[in-house]
Amino acid sequence: MRKIILFILAFGFSLFGYSQQNMTQDSLLSDTKILLRKENSGFLMIHTSGFGAGFRMGKHLTGYKKRMLEFELTGFKHPKEIKSINPYFENSKSYIYGKMNSFFLVHAGWGRQKIINSKPYWGGIELRYFYSGGISMGLLKPVYLYILNETNDPKLYNITIEKYDPNKHFSENIYGRAPFQYGFGKIKPMPGIYAKVGLNFEYGAYDESIKAIEAGVFIDLYAKPVPIMAYNTNQNLFLSLYLAFHFGSRSN
């Protein structure tokens, strides 16, 4: 995935020089097109630590500059997450040993976008660069596990659902991960900030519709380390490369 994103970024920057030679021609062509000032798009995202989705609203300030408002929700996977299974019990369920919390990121921010190379009237690809930033609300959802409890019969165990506690639960008495819905009532927020920068490749055939691929990087910063794993160093700064697919419409 990193190779794909780096290739797209390199390709985009290579177009920058070409765009400078064609700016005059593109400006003349743009004068004959109707400027659609408002746009809305949804997007799906894959990044180096998970997946996400979001919504973006934009408004043209000029023919080449745009103001944006965006919202997105994405999951975050700690690099030390490794699935395990209890080998001593049949039908045991997989789980991630040492994982205390599932971590989700909610971004709400503002930004600007500017055209580098405009699309000719007959079609093609329009290249833009953008930057944005704002509030990052981290959400920590506790992990719940199926736990084996001994009985008077050494061959029989009672299975209970408990919040993972690294001081009480070990590989020997963990039967597997409990259903995902456990823990939603105990979600804890972690406020922070984020910033994002990248390139947007608009390839839609019609100005009224949005079809674009976006590649870039975003960074999240929190006041204190985010407790995801019990036996690994947790951090408060997260850097991710991402690739997103946008679909939407434009209007006046």
Side-chain angles (χ1 to χ4, degrees):
M1 175 185 166
R2 291 189 179 185
K3 292 182 179 180
I4 294 175
I5 295 177
L6 291 174
F7 171 77
I8 293 175
L9 290 172
F11 176 72
F13 285 117
S14 71
L15 290 176
F16 182 78
Y18 172 81
S19 69
Q20 303 309 304
Q21 299 175 4
N22 290 276
M23 185 61 73
T24 301
Q25 180 181 1
D26 287 343
S27 299
L28 293 173
L29 291 173
S30 296
D31 290 340
T32 65
K33 298 170 66 175
I34 298 175
L35 177 61
L36 302 174
R37 293 188 176 276
K38 299 178 182 179
E39 66 178 55
N40 297 301
S41 66
F43 59 89
L44 298 175
M45 175 199 304
I46 179 171
H47 60 89
T48 47
S49 299
F51 302 89
F55 179 76
R56 179 181 289 170
M57 295 180 288
K59 183 176 181 180
H60 277 276
L61 303 176
T62 69
Y64 289 93
K65 296 180 181 179
K66 185 193 307 176
R67 182 174 58 213
M68 304 183 304
L69 176 63
E70 63 182 8
F71 303 91
E72 61 189 33
L73 170 66
T74 181
F76 187 89
K77 181 180 179 182
H78 194 281
K80 296 295 185 180
E81 291 187 20
I82 300 175
K83 286 188 176 181
S84 303
I85 194 168
N86 193 324
Y88 302 108
F89 294 86
E90 293 183 1
N91 302 319
S92 59
K93 304 177 183 299
S94 64
Y95 68 99
I96 298 173
Y97 186 68
K99 185 170 183 177
M100 299 184 295
N101 295 287
S102 296
F103 187 47
F104 303 93
L105 308 177
V106 180
H107 290 162
W110 303 262
R112 294 291 180 97
Q113 191 178 86
K114 185 176 181 180
I115 294 176
I116 298 175
N117 186 53
S118 61
K119 185 191 305 181
Y121 68 89
W122 61 81
I125 295 178
E126 187 164 274
L127 176 63
R128 311 180 183 98
Y129 76 84
F130 70 92
Y131 58 87
S132 63
I135 298 170
S136 177
M137 182 61 70
L139 301 176
L140 288 167
K141 187 183 81 67
V143 171
Y144 279 72
L145 301 171
Y146 287 113
I147 302 300
L148 297 162
N149 299 284
E150 295 181 352
T151 66
N152 294 328
D153 187 340
K155 294 183 180 180
L156 295 178
Y157 291 85
N158 287 327
I159 298 179
T160 57
I161 295 178
E162 302 177 20
K163 178 183 175 182
Y164 172 62
D165 184 342
N167 298 315
K168 293 170 50 180
H169 304 141
F170 308 98
S171 57
E172 294 81 6
N173 65 352
I174 297 176
Y175 186 71
R177 183 166 183 168
F180 186 72
Q181 64 264 27
Y182 284 88
F184 273 104
K186 296 186 177 181
I187 288 179
K188 294 182 179 180
M190 287 195 67
I193 58 175
Y194 85 97
K196 182 195 293 184
V197 64
L199 295 173
N200 182 284
F201 302 85
E202 165 72 52
Y203 63 88
Y206 304 99
D207 290 340
E208 294 81 4
S209 63
I210 298 173
K211 294 182 179 179
I213 296 175
E214 191 170 280
V217 58
F218 64 87
I219 185 170
D220 290 82
L221 177 64
Y222 299 93
K224 57 183 179 180
V226 180
I228 301 176
M229 303 294 292
Y231 304 110
N232 293 275
T233 301
N234 292 296
Q235 56 189 23
N236 66 332
L237 182 67
F238 302 94
L239 179 67
S240 299
L241 300 174
Y242 79 91
L243 188 67
F245 300 88
H246 286 250
F247 303 91
S249 61
R250 295 187 179 90
S251 63
N252 274 321

